[in-house]
Structures are given as C-alpha cells and as structure tokens.
Amino acid sequence: MSRVVVIGGTGYAGSAIVAEAAARGHQVTAVSRSLPDAPVPNVTHAQVDATDEAALSALLADADVVVGAIAPRGSTAGTFRDVYRTLARLADAAGIPLYVVGGYSSLRPAPGADRFVTDLGGIPAELHDEIRAGAAVVIEDLPATPPTLDWVFVSPALRFGARMPAERLGCYRLGDEVAVRPDDGGRISAADYALGFVDLMEKGEHRREQVNLGH
C-alpha cells in the first residue's frame, strides 16, 4: 500500500479521493487549512496552509504520491498557480508523482481542436478567472516542469461538483485530453471520480499527461 498525501483533502474532490484511497488500505494524510469536524477513520489529518512550503516539504518527504485537490477560488485564488508550481517542485525533489484534480474547460472537444477554455462565452464572467487559472496549470505550468517529474492532470466531466451531484454508479469512462462526452459535457459523481482517480494512481500507466473521467 502507498503513502498518499492529499493537499485539499477536505474539499469536494479531495475528500472523495481520501475516502476511496483509505478504503483500499492506503496510508492517507489529508491536508487542509482547518481540521474537519468529523475526521475520516484511518486517515491522518494535517492542518497546514498550502502556501507553507516547509510544512509541505516535510509531508512529502515520507510520501509515495501527492495529490493536489485545491480549487482556484476563494482564499486560494491569488496563490493557486504558485502553490501548484511549488508542489510540483517539491514532488520532483522528493521523487514522487503528482496527481492533480483538474477542470473540464482545459479539455478539447476533438483531437487537435482548441480547448474549451478558449471560448468562455457561455460561462458567467465572474467564473472566467478561476477557469483560466485552473486550465493554465496543465496548459503552461506542468509541461514546463523538469522531465523527471511524473504528473497526471485528471479532469472531470462538465457537471461535477457539490452543486451538481450525480449518482454513484461504480464505474467511469476514461479519456485523454479529449472529453469523453464533448457534446454535452457529461457528468460524474465524486465517488466515481475518486474511483477512477485512485485507479490511475495505483496503475501508474500515465505520465506527464492529461486524462479525463466521466460517466
């Protein structure tokens, strides 16, 4: 079993990944700015700010894999990309892979086509900055990391989040940087996204690439 550190381990995607990995017997540390009211059994909870490089470095020193599940909004909006650049550098120094919870807009509707993020005309303007910041991690930041870093950017279907819950089906579809449901965006539950996410971590078949999960 692996030692897994999940940065943002109490958020929507992060908490589902924590629960799935722990259920499979992995040693999981969930990192968040505040401790949860109800800790997850068999999970170590660490109260650490994602901008605290020294604390993150100490956590990653004993890890086999690190997961980034931070959202580019709220208090992290201004530091989001910097945090991921730091996390990538620390993961590379520790010699461990980095798996990132991504967004749908960084995907493409077809091979070679422009990414969805290039046209946000149908998206409320107040969401544009966070969408662009999230996409920039896989478009600009991760590809610029040293080739020694193994990273996988895992995008969910369009309808994914606390405001768009979906039924747990116990299955998922796996695609590359082309959306598995480009016409309507599709959906996926947090539980099934976590199912696919932990499968990707365990199999380790992808390196320095973007994938996507949907129903």
Side-chain angles (χ1 to χ4, degrees):
M1 295 294 103
S2 297
R3 295 165 295 181
V4 181
V5 174
V6 182
I7 312 299
T10 58
Y12 182 75
S15 60
I17 293 167
V18 165
E20 178 67 25
R24 299 193 195 188
H26 296 291
Q27 298 178 31
V28 182
T29 298
V31 181
S32 55
R33 286 172 298 167
S34 57
L35 296 176
D37 294 332
V40 180
N42 302 316
V43 170
T44 299
H45 290 273
Q47 187 174 5
V48 172
D49 192 294
T51 61
D52 188 338
E53 182 173 341
L56 291 180
S57 181
L59 287 168
L60 268 55
D62 295 324
D64 296 311
V65 59
V66 59
V67 174
I70 307 167
R73 66 180 69 95
S75 60
T76 63
T79 59
F80 177 77
R81 291 181 66 184
D82 287 335
V83 166
Y84 269 111
R85 292 187 189 108
T86 298
L87 200 55
R89 177 165 47 80
L90 293 177
D92 188 36
I96 60 176
L98 168 64
Y99 286 78
V100 178
V101 174
Y104 178 82
S105 294
S106 57
L107 295 170
R108 304 179 191 273
D114 289 340
R115 299 174 189 266
F116 293 113
V117 70
T118 60
D119 181 6
L120 299 178
I123 306 295
E126 61 268 22
L127 301 178
H128 288 188
D129 286 347
E130 68 178 68
I131 290 172
R132 291 191 178 109
V137 171
V138 70
I139 295 172
E140 301 176 22
D141 300 337
L142 289 174
T145 59
T148 47
L149 173 66
D150 286 351
W151 58 263
V152 182
F153 190 90
V154 189
S155 291
L158 175 62
R159 288 179 285 281
F160 172 77
R163 297 181 180 179
M164 298 171 283
E167 181 184 359
R168 177 173 188 157
L169 302 180
C171 61
Y172 58 87
R173 295 173 61 191
L174 173 65
D176 51 21
E177 64 175 17
V178 176
V180 296
R181 292 277 296 274
D183 294 335
D184 64 0
R187 67 173 63 244
I188 191 167
S189 64
D192 290 333
Y193 176 81
L195 177 68
F197 198 103
V198 178
D199 280 350
L200 288 164
M201 287 168 41
E202 290 183 343
K203 294 175 181 177
E205 297 173 347
H206 298 270
R207 183 179 186 274
R208 298 182 69 84
E209 61 184 298
Q210 180 179 17
V211 299
N212 77 106
L213 299 167
H215 280 155

